[in-house]
């Protein structure tokens, strides 16, 4: 998710809607560069996820960022979202999945040979 949204949608600006959302929330004057910076940060998040370093902190950071970004979009730019205000529901489901995967899922058992 982070890599695709960061690289394709924001850094390469293949989905103009993302830049329009940034313009609505942060201002049109610097929407292009800010959209790309946000995209680079999302690519950085993808690298962090794949690295496995400080995994729990990574998951908590993802949860906070997804909720914050989607809440801001819900309030300030719902007409620009792919599913309108329903985006917040999908974000909440993603956050619940992250929470379950990291904090509630039973630990995998070691395989005996």
């Amino acid at each position: 998710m982070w890599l695709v949204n960061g690289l394709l949608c924001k850094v390469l600006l293949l989905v103009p809607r993302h830049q329009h959302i940034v313009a609505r929330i942060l201002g049109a004057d610097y929407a292009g560069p800010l959209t790309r910076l946000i995209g680079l940060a999302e690519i950085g998040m993808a690298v962090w996820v794949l690295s496995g370093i400080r995994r729990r902190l990574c998951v908590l950071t993802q949860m906070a960022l997804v909720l914050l970004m989607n809440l801001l979009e819900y309030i300030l730019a719902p007409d620009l979202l792919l599913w309108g205000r329903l985006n917040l529901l999908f974000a909440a489901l993603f956050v619940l999945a992250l929470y379950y995967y990291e904090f509630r899922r039973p630990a995998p058992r070691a395989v005996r040979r």
Side-chain angles (χ1 to χ4, degrees):
M1 177 195 87
W2 294 110
L3 183 61
V4 170
N5 273 314
L7 179 61
L8 300 179
C9 299
K10 294 183 180 83
V11 171
L12 298 176
L13 300 175
L14 296 179
V15 182
R17 180 173 39 83
H18 290 266
Q19 187 171 343
H20 297 303
I21 292 168
V22 172
R24 174 87 52 90
I25 294 171
L26 299 174
D29 292 341
Y30 301 105
L34 288 173
T35 302
R36 286 190 166 99
L37 283 173
I38 293 167
L40 290 172
E42 290 182 354
I43 293 168
M45 180 61 74
V47 171
W48 188 10
V49 169
L50 293 173
S51 77
I53 297 170
R54 304 220 32 194
R55 199 175 72 205
R56 288 199 165 194
L57 178 60
C58 182
V59 169
L60 289 170
T61 302
Q62 289 179 79
M63 291 167 60
L65 287 173
V66 167
L67 287 176
L68 177 64
M69 288 189 306
N70 281 276
L71 187 58
L72 283 171
E73 294 166 350
Y74 178 89
I75 294 167
L76 300 172
D79 57 307
L80 297 174
L81 300 176
L82 188 58
W83 295 295
R85 294 192 187 272
L86 275 178
N87 267 40
L88 189 59
L89 172 65
F90 296 122
L93 291 173
F94 178 68
V95 166
L96 287 174
L98 284 171
Y99 175 78
Y100 175 78
Y101 179 78
E102 183 58 35
F103 297 103
R104 293 290 176 216
R105 179 180 59 123
R109 291 192 231 184
V111 178
R112 290 186 175 189
R113 294 181 185 213

